[in-house]
Amino acid sequence: MYIADLTDVVVKKKHLPGFSNDWVLCLGDLSLALPLDRTVASLESTTDLALVKRQFAVEHGLRIGDRRGGDPSSKSPLGTFEMP
């Protein structure tokens, strides 16, 4: 399962307003937006996640512009999407 699929499932199960692309799934400390094309398995043992409105993420400086992939040379399986 991909992060995009997980976002869809959470938005539907929680009956959240809008579409799943109106929401951003990120680490619980809001330091990393999860790339949509990564698998849930890439989270490894991470269990603290947050789902925030895209607008909130933008207003608070969470980088979500290109959430696909990341830096292929990064040692992190999630890529490099840290806050500026």
Side-chain angles (χ1 to χ4, degrees):
M1 176 182 271
Y2 290 94
I3 299 298
D5 301 324
L6 178 60
T7 303
D8 288 337
V9 168
V10 172
V11 168
K12 288 176 185 173
K13 278 196 174 247
K14 296 293 184 180
H15 305 288
L16 298 173
F19 300 102
S20 61
N21 63 351
D22 294 335
W23 298 89
V24 176
L25 191 61
C26 53
L27 296 181
D29 64 0
L30 302 178
S31 65
L32 181 79
L34 301 179
L36 297 174
D37 67 343
R38 297 296 172 98
T39 63
V40 172
S42 69
L43 293 173
E44 296 175 350
S45 63
T46 302
T47 58
D48 187 22
L49 301 176
L51 185 68
V52 298
K53 285 288 251 181
R54 179 175 296 276
Q55 186 62 34
F56 173 89
V58 170
E59 289 171 0
H60 290 84
L62 184 61
R63 289 183 50 201
I64 59 172
D66 180 9
R67 295 176 50 222
R68 299 171 302 132
D71 181 359
S73 65
S74 171
K75 293 182 182 180
S76 167
L78 295 174
T80 57
F81 293 91
E82 296 178 21
M83 292 177 68

